[in-house]
Amino acid sequence: MIVRRMTWLAKRGRVTEVVKLASAERERTGSTHRIYRNRVGPFSTIVMEFEFEDFEEMETSWTEWSATSESAAFLKKWNDLLEAGGHGEIWTLVE
C-alpha cells in the first residue's frame, strides 16, 4: 500500500473554505481520501491523505484527475486559498 500525504497552509482566515472545497471535490470524485485540520502546531494547516495499492494506481489516478476540466477549476480556487508552498510525502506500508 502507498500513502500520499499532502500538506498545505491556508491563507489567514481561509482554512474553513479550504476544508469545504476539499470536501466538495472528494464528494464529486467519489474519492475516499482523508482531510485533516490541525489542532496543535502551525495554524491553518491542512493535510490530505490518499491511499493506493501501488505506484501505478497512484500515477493513473492523478493523471486521470488532472485531465478533467473540473480539476482545473478546482485548482484555480484551491490555489487562491493557499499560501505558496506546502509539501508532499509518499509512504509505503511495511506492516
Side-chain angles (χ1 to χ4, degrees), residues 44-95:
S44 302
T45 300
I46 301 297
V47 174
M48 288 199 295
E49 203 171 73
F50 302 82
E51 289 184 4
F52 304 97
E53 286 300 316
D54 53 35
F55 282 103
E56 183 179 348
E57 181 187 358
M58 182 177 72
E59 290 302 322
T60 299
S61 176
W62 288 112
T63 300
E64 290 174 356
W65 179 79
S66 298
T68 66
S69 59
E70 293 90 353
S71 70
F74 168 82
L75 288 172
K76 168 78 173 93
K77 294 175 188 174
W78 185 252
N79 290 329
D80 288 345
L81 296 171
L82 299 175
E83 297 291 351
H87 68 276
E89 302 166 293
I90 297 176
W91 295 81
T92 302
L93 181 65
V94 247
E95 288 187 15

